[in-house]
Amino acid sequence: MRFSRPPAFTTRPTLEGTVGMAASTHWAASATAMGVLERGGNAFDAAVAAAFVLQVVEPHLNGPGGDLTAVFTTAGDPTPRVLDGQGPAPAGASAARYRAEGLDRVPGAGALAAAVPGATDAWLLLLRDHGTWEVTDVVGPAIGYARDGFPAVARVGSTIAAVADLFREHWPSSAALWLPDGRPPAPGQVLRNPAWAATLGRLADAAQGPTREARVDAVRGVWAEGFVAEAVEAFCRTPQRHASGTDHAGVLTVADSAGWRASVTDAAVGTFHGYRIAKTPLWGQGPALLQMLALLEPDVPDPSTGEGAHRVLEAIKLAQADREAWFGDDTPVTVAELLDPAYLDARRALLSEVASPDVRPGRVGGREPRMAELATAGVAPGVTAGSAVGEPTVTLEGEPGTSSHGEMRGDTCHVDVVDRWGNLVSATPSGGWLQSSPTIPGLGFALGTRLQMTWLEEGLPSTLTPGRRPRTTLTPTLVLDDRGPVVALGSPGGDQQDQWQLLYLLRTLVGGWSPQAAIDAPALHTTSSPGSFWPRDREPAGATVEDRLGEAVIGELERRGHRVTRAGDWALGRLSAVGIDRDRRVLWGAANPRGMQGYAVGR
């Protein structure tokens, strides 16, 4: 299929230079990363420094108690690796125990939804093994923002406003931190988090030892087994309000965090249009993108046309159906089976000229697929007006919304960095949102809610099981050619992350669009697949689009049976990307204009 020509105008240039490039969802993090590169740090030093800043300035999108995945290569080794910062379920978290608490799903907010916090340990592991800076130096900018203050972007205030009554009535420690003067902060209001500044300072002070690596490990030990873990366990003992509308104690203990450390593993790799695409393994949703690309490979569609947009949506549904049936920390299938040409041919034959409302997983390796009963429902069962799930949702300009009970439909942040030596990292930290559970006094952060991606139905790859990782949505991307890595890419957005990245890859790798033009381009995604976030609902044949797709394309989608929701002109996707142009020996960077806070910087 012939691709549409990119528009002549882009919202900002694709940056180019030779020193380094950083792109992220917040200007302060990107600027921090570039400052590290300017002072001789490498891409890993820069990414870690930026990540700690993101925890402070985007507290509604990530936090120290959350999780992360990253895909990276080093200047000396082009093999893509995955940084696994996805903590597992605690020893006390089981489907049977949660059902005994009267729950049919893991709540979307509250301590029962917390996996072992993985983000902080993972960042420190990356710094230890591939960085060059000391812990004190990389956390310095974050301490400054937390201690001295940062101007809050509008979405911080709107998120807090959505949960203000919950904070006042049930989460007083959160109200004390996030409702200064008893009110949600106004856009631009300077916020401070002195408790987290003090916690970071204590962690940095723990960096003692004969080598830099030993000093980093000392901090990791204090995080997992010292005062932080002790405060987390003590706070979890007290029952708190959950998104279910009921009160429960958490189950995280010091033993849980002491028994887990972040790790590095091989990436799942697929091929597309002469490139290799590196993603997380099957405990993340990353292989779904590999399937989407493989399903579309024979005749790559242009998502800017009605027919192309339809084919893209239908391919996404098939890949996400396999995700629901087969992905998880204890899956019997392999990525090779999911990408087997014969299996893909059978799946591709299901693509038709009309929108499918069904969830249609395949028989991978001849196995019969099985999904949770709730996954195939058109709406969340048992949701009634006035229930916790049925409360009004505040929509954040096209981003996943936050309800008045704290559950959030999966948004996060992202950072990409490339340096002059050729180190490249794409990282998506998330969880530990300010609205995910009560702020832990004395620490200044909240626990994450990643366990909401597990099911309380037994016998599934994603059943809630002690020690098992939840199937995360965090899904950064690396693109490689026959000479090595060329693109680091990612986006916030829960179930939409790979959908929006798919559009970018089609337009750049096949259509020849520039990175910035592809990021600016009108986006769309399906809502027909089961949601990864509580209450795990879906809209059969649903599709959400930016109005800029145009009346002809939107009308064609509706004619083919898609139930189209218009999100506005600039509402979907928060992509950023950096890369290497090896022919010209140039680095480049690009970032999303939506929301007016994503930023790329470099020279």
Side-chain angles (χ1 to χ4, degrees):
M1 179 180 292
R2 183 169 181 169
F3 266 66
S4 307
R5 293 176 60 85
F9 173 81
T10 56
T11 58
R12 53 193 68 181
T14 298
L15 306 181
E16 294 187 330
T18 57
V19 174
M21 292 283 161
S24 81
T25 47
H26 195 287
W27 64 83
S30 300
T32 296
M34 192 62 206
V36 173
L37 297 178
E38 293 278 12
R39 288 178 285 161
N42 67 18
F44 304 107
D45 300 315
V48 175
F52 279 101
V53 167
L54 283 173
Q55 292 175 354
V56 177
V57 300
E58 291 193 320
H60 59 310
L61 302 178
N62 81 134
D67 34 48
L68 87 95
T69 66
V71 191
F72 66 91
T73 59
T74 67
D77 184 0
T79 305
R81 307 289 186 193
V82 171
L83 175 65
D84 173 10
Q86 179 52 66
S94 69
R97 176 168 182 166
Y98 283 29
R99 290 196 306 270
E101 298 255 355
L103 301 168
D104 64 353
R105 284 159 292 217
V106 179
L112 280 181
V116 174
T120 298
D121 186 69
W123 287 124
L124 292 172
L125 174 65
L126 190 68
L127 177 69
R128 185 197 72 181
D129 290 351
H130 299 290
T132 64
W133 281 27
E134 297 284 350
V135 173
T136 301
D137 297 321
V138 296
V139 302
I143 291 176
Y145 277 117
R147 180 191 61 224
D148 303 328
F150 63 96
V153 296
R155 286 171 178 152
V156 172
S158 59
T159 300
I160 294 171
V163 290
D165 288 343
L166 171 68
F167 284 7
R168 294 186 185 104
E169 296 171 15
H170 300 287
W171 295 2
S173 59
S174 296
L177 178 59
W178 298 115
L179 294 173
D181 304 319
R183 299 186 302 273
Q189 182 173 339
V190 174
L191 298 179
R192 295 174 177 84
N193 190 343
W196 176 235
T199 299
L200 264 183
R202 289 182 66 183
L203 288 169
D205 290 342
Q208 304 294 323
T211 65
R212 191 186 67 87
E213 291 76 12
R215 291 189 286 275
V216 175
D217 275 339
V219 178
R220 297 175 70 198
V222 171
W223 170 268
E225 304 177 46
F227 77 95
V228 174
E230 291 168 354
V232 168
E233 177 177 342
F235 189 71
C236 283
R237 293 193 192 112
T238 302
Q240 306 280 355
R241 179 57 49 93
H242 282 55
S244 55
T246 50
D247 293 349
H248 306 271
V251 295
L252 266 173
T253 67
V254 173
D256 292 316
S257 57
W260 179 85
R261 292 292 188 275
S263 61
V264 172
T265 187
D266 292 337
V269 179
T271 60
F272 175 73
H273 211 66
Y275 294 89
R276 290 180 295 142
I277 314 297
K279 301 291 291 181
T280 62
L282 285 164
W283 46 261
Q285 71 168 328
L289 177 60
L290 304 181
Q291 265 199 305
M292 296 172 199
L293 291 166
L295 287 168
L296 297 172
E297 175 77 87
D299 183 17
V300 180
D302 180 357
S304 300
T305 67
E307 178 186 357
H310 166 74
R311 287 185 58 203
V312 165
L313 289 169
E314 294 306 293
I316 290 170
K317 292 178 194 176
L318 291 177
Q320 290 191 333
D322 277 350
R323 182 193 71 174
E324 290 306 310
W326 299 115
F327 289 23
D329 203 11
D330 190 24
T331 178
V333 309
T334 66
V335 173
E337 288 178 308
L338 290 166
L339 300 180
D340 178 76
Y343 179 71
L344 290 169
D345 284 343
R347 300 293 281 156
R348 200 176 291 116
L350 297 176
L351 299 173
S352 70
E353 297 302 309
V354 297
S356 171
D358 301 320
V359 183
R360 300 179 291 173
R363 299 180 73 248
V364 182
R367 305 174 186 89
E368 197 64 34
R370 179 178 166 225
M371 295 188 300
E373 292 182 9
L374 293 177
T376 58
V379 295
V383 175
T384 56
S387 73
V389 189
E391 291 287 344
T393 294
V394 177
T395 300
L396 306 182
E397 299 181 23
E399 292 184 354
T402 302
S403 88
S404 58
H405 283 260
E407 71 272 8
M408 187 168 182
R409 299 296 184 87
D411 209 3
T412 178
C413 49
H414 186 78
V415 59
D416 303 298
V417 186
V418 60
D419 63 29
R420 70 196 81 178
W421 301 285
N423 297 300
L424 195 64
V425 58
S426 173
T428 309
S430 185
W433 306 311
L434 65 87
Q435 68 276 18
S436 63
S437 67
T439 299
I440 302 172
L443 295 183
F445 66 82
L447 296 173
T449 58
R450 191 63 58 182
L451 293 186
Q452 67 183 290
M453 296 178 183
T454 63
W455 293 102
L456 300 186
E457 188 174 329
E458 300 289 353
L460 303 170
S462 54
T463 297
L464 177 62
T465 305
R468 182 188 286 181
R469 284 168 293 196
R471 194 268 298 148
T472 180
T473 53
L474 305 179
T475 178
T477 301
L478 281 188
V479 180
L480 304 95
D481 64 15
D482 55 5
R483 291 179 290 178
V486 291
V487 181
L489 167 71
S491 173
D495 293 310
Q496 287 77 54
Q497 290 179 33
D498 276 336
Q499 301 189 58
W500 295 333
Q501 292 181 73
L502 172 66
L503 302 174
Y504 175 95
L505 293 173
L506 297 180
R507 286 172 169 138
T508 56
L509 301 185
V510 183
W513 290 36
S514 73
Q516 191 61 54
I519 288 172
D520 288 351
L524 75 163
H525 62 262
T526 183
T527 55
S528 189
S529 302
S532 294
F533 292 85
W534 190 86
R536 311 301 298 273
D537 52 355
R538 72 184 191 94
E539 180 187 10
T544 301
V545 305
E546 286 186 317
D547 293 54
R548 291 183 297 124
L549 272 176
E551 293 300 324
V553 174
I554 295 172
E556 177 67 10
L557 290 176
E558 291 175 332
R559 186 187 70 78
R560 291 173 181 261
H562 296 275
R563 299 175 62 184
V564 175
T565 298
R566 299 177 184 233
D569 283 340
W570 295 90
L572 306 179
R574 290 175 60 207
L575 295 155
S576 66
V578 300
I580 304 171
D581 185 330
R582 297 188 185 279
D583 292 330
R584 295 190 296 139
R585 297 184 180 180
V586 165
L587 310 176
W588 58 263
N592 167 60
R594 299 165 182 84
M596 297 184 293
Q597 68 188 66
Y599 190 67
V601 60
R603 71 171 181 88

